[in-house]
Amino acid sequence: MLAGVRDRLAPLQSWLFPRRVYLQLEDQALEAMVLEAERLVWHERVPLPQGVCENGAPVAVEALGDLLGDWLIERGYPGAHVKAVLPRAATAWRVIEWPDGQWPEAPELVVRQQQGELDLPWSLQDADLWLEPLLGDPPRSLLLAVQRQLLEAWIQVCSQAGIALDGLEALPICLWRAVKPQLEDGVQVVLQLDDQQSWLLALEQGQPLGEWPCPPAGERLEEPLRRWAQRYSPTAGRLIGSESTVQTWLPQLTAWLGCPVTPFEPGGGTAALWGLAAGERQP
């Protein structure tokens, strides 16, 4: 009898006391994670139909919102409070060194005037910007740009899903935050292996250095990684990817980068989702 009462109360409790859901948005899938303290209580990945999301942008907003809302209701998280990781293609970032070694009075205006130099994939006139100061001298900032129309489309998806969207963050920032507790001195590499394309995120003394697109996991990675390592002399690396891919290529990647490389093992869920969760624990 008591079990039946608990089952009937569970949906009501979910509505009255909505829980935090961490969500990773991708062209191919949605991936969700729920934590209790540091314990993983739910992790699931749902493939998306082809064409629903392309190049980081939701194409079928209403259908995607309905899918997301139904999924969370079925798993016991109706009306959830969500923080989400945007698809990689949705954002672009650069490290800005300020002219004359001084902080400008209007940094966003200065950035918008440097459109050509930044070599971004789209115009800054159609983007929302976020600037965060970095440690060190001369003065630098981390510039994060997100396409305004794309951002609004994801907000509409979450509204259609009936969830409370508490924030959207860039994938590289979440990866940086996930590996930060493991970082040491020197140049550190976070290499994310993917079937279509790999990405090399580099940090120096814990601060972002840059991000480079690379070939997918395979022999084609050798030349760009050796060339990059010759220029930047990394001291250690973290490897993110499927278990089979990581185990297959770990020895070669260690040789190509010329430094110790270890798998990043978040313990269920993706590195990006753990980095998203870590952001709430930072002061």
Side-chain angles (χ1 to χ4, degrees), residues 173-195:
I173 303 302
C174 291
L175 295 179
W176 169 31
R177 198 185 290 134
V179 303
K180 197 171 182 179
Q182 304 176 8
L183 296 179
E184 301 172 358
D185 293 336
V187 175
Q188 304 277 309
V189 174
V190 181
L191 187 59
Q192 185 178 21
L193 301 179
D194 204 340
D195 294 336

Side-chain angles (χ1 to χ4, degrees), residues 84-107:
V85 185
L86 286 166
R88 186 183 292 276
T91 60
W93 67 275
R94 300 288 187 272
V95 175
I96 303 293
E97 291 190 7
W98 298 113
D100 304 321
Q102 295 182 347
W103 297 101
E105 293 184 2

Side-chain angles (χ1 to χ4, degrees), residues 67-224:
L67 185 153
L68 174 58
D70 291 345
W71 180 38
L72 293 179
I73 289 174
E74 290 172 1
R75 297 302 183 264
Y77 301 102
H81 282 247
V82 169
K83 274 201 170 182
V85 185
L86 286 166
R88 186 183 292 276
T91 60
W93 67 275
R94 300 288 187 272
V95 175
I96 303 293
E97 291 190 7
W98 298 113
D100 304 321
Q102 295 182 347
W103 297 101
E105 293 184 2
E108 185 170 315
L109 179 61
V110 172
V111 167
R112 293 189 184 277
Q113 293 172 345
Q114 296 178 342
Q115 172 77 49
E117 302 172 28
L118 293 172
D119 190 29
L120 293 167
W122 18 263
S123 172
L124 285 178
Q125 301 307 314
D126 303 320
D128 286 340
L129 305 183
W130 176 70
L131 287 160
E132 179 175 329
L134 297 175
L135 301 176
D137 191 46
R140 301 178 305 149
S141 286
L142 178 66
L143 164 69
L144 179 65
V146 57
Q147 298 178 71
R148 188 174 297 118
Q149 186 176 2
L150 185 150
L151 189 65
E152 291 172 355
W154 280 114
I155 293 173
Q156 291 174 15
V157 168
C158 293
S159 177
Q160 177 71 24
I163 59 178
L165 181 61
D166 291 343
L168 290 162
E169 296 199 26
L171 176 60
I173 303 302
C174 291
L175 295 179
W176 169 31
R177 198 185 290 134
V179 303
K180 197 171 182 179
Q182 304 176 8
L183 296 179
E184 301 172 358
D185 293 336
V187 175
Q188 304 277 309
V189 174
V190 181
L191 187 59
Q192 185 178 21
L193 301 179
D194 204 340
D195 294 336
Q196 304 298 321
Q197 187 177 48
S198 299
W199 292 87
L200 187 154
L201 171 64
L203 306 115
E204 185 172 19
Q205 310 302 334
Q207 300 288 299
L209 178 63
E211 187 178 46
W212 292 262
C214 299
E219 296 295 341
R220 291 170 52 207
L221 262 176
E222 179 175 5
E223 183 180 349

